């Protein structure tokens, strides 16, 4: 179970750092406002690279959330279900 936690944590930290970097560039109008990282995406004057970065920002956000949940909840639950279905105890005594 420790390897699943480490994988999920690695995904969360790496993708979260990428999201925070791109959100800081594109969704922080000023550092004095309360909308740091959560302001609406800019819509005017964007180059192709800006548009790709905004798409990547959204993809990194969802990858961080879903990746961590996959390794922390879904995979361990599936393994527990398989052990339960096979009739094997989780921790033999």
């Amino acid at each position: 179970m420790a390897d699943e936690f480490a994988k999920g944590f690695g995904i969360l930290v790496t993708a979260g750092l990428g999201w925070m970097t791109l959100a800081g560039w594109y969704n922080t109008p000023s550092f004095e406002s309360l909308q740091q990282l959560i302001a609406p995406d800019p819509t005017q004057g964007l180059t192709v690279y800006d548009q790709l970065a905004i798409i990547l920002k959204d993809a990194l956000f969802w990858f961080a959330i879903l990746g961590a949940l996959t390794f922390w909840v879904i995979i361990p639950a599936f393994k527990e279900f398989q052990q339960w279905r096979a009739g094997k105890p989780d921790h033999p005594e």
Side-chain angles (χ1 to χ4, degrees), residues 6-88:
K7 290 174 189 174
F9 189 68
I11 288 173
L12 180 68
V13 169
T14 306
L17 180 62
W19 174 82
M20 281 181 30
T21 301
L22 292 172
W25 288 343
Y26 292 103
N27 298 97
T28 301
S30 79
F31 290 106
E32 297 165 353
S33 70
L34 295 176
Q35 288 191 330
Q36 293 181 12
L37 303 178
I38 58 169
D41 290 333
T43 57
Q44 296 178 342
L46 297 176
T47 65
V48 173
Y49 293 116
D50 292 332
Q51 293 172 3
L52 287 174
I54 290 173
I55 292 170
L56 179 63
K57 175 186 65 84
D58 293 337
L60 285 172
F61 175 79
W62 287 110
F63 180 64
I65 300 298
L66 296 176
L69 285 177
T70 298
F71 281 101
W72 291 347
V73 177
I74 296 172
I75 291 175
F78 184 70
K79 286 183 178 181
E80 287 287 327
F81 175 73
Q82 283 182 330
Q83 287 180 351
W84 173 78
R85 189 171 166 203
K88 299 177 184 174

